[in-house]
Amino acid sequence: MLKFVKGHMESIEGIEIYPMISLLIFFIFFAALFWWVFTAKKEHIKEVSNIPLETNKDITL
């Protein structure tokens, strides 16, 4: 099946740019995420990390 897909992909002109674009998007996303993690305020991180532990007595299951 891979030969079937590869054969069709080789016949499309200009398709070699798409893997480069996807790698660039992947790299930019994780670089931005890495930057956000190191520049986020510690108070915000503590507040967000405690959200699952908070209980609300008004909610009935």
Side-chain angles (χ1 to χ4, degrees):
M1 178 157 177
L2 185 59
K3 289 181 182 181
F4 177 73
V5 173
K6 187 178 177 183
H8 286 289
M9 293 295 185
E10 289 176 347
S11 66
I12 301 172
E13 291 192 27
I15 196 152
E16 65 273 356
I17 192 72
Y18 291 107
M20 289 185 262
I21 291 172
S22 64
L23 180 64
L24 185 63
I25 291 170
F26 177 82
F27 179 77
I28 290 171
F29 173 77
F30 281 103
L33 188 65
F34 184 77
W35 175 77
W36 180 81
V37 166
F38 283 105
T39 60
K41 295 181 181 178
K42 302 302 177 197
E43 297 84 25
H44 175 71
I45 300 297
K46 285 183 182 180
E47 179 183 339
V48 172
S49 67
N50 286 327
I51 289 175
L53 303 175
E54 293 177 0
T55 59
N56 191 349
K57 294 181 182 180
D58 296 336
I59 298 175
T60 57
L61 297 177

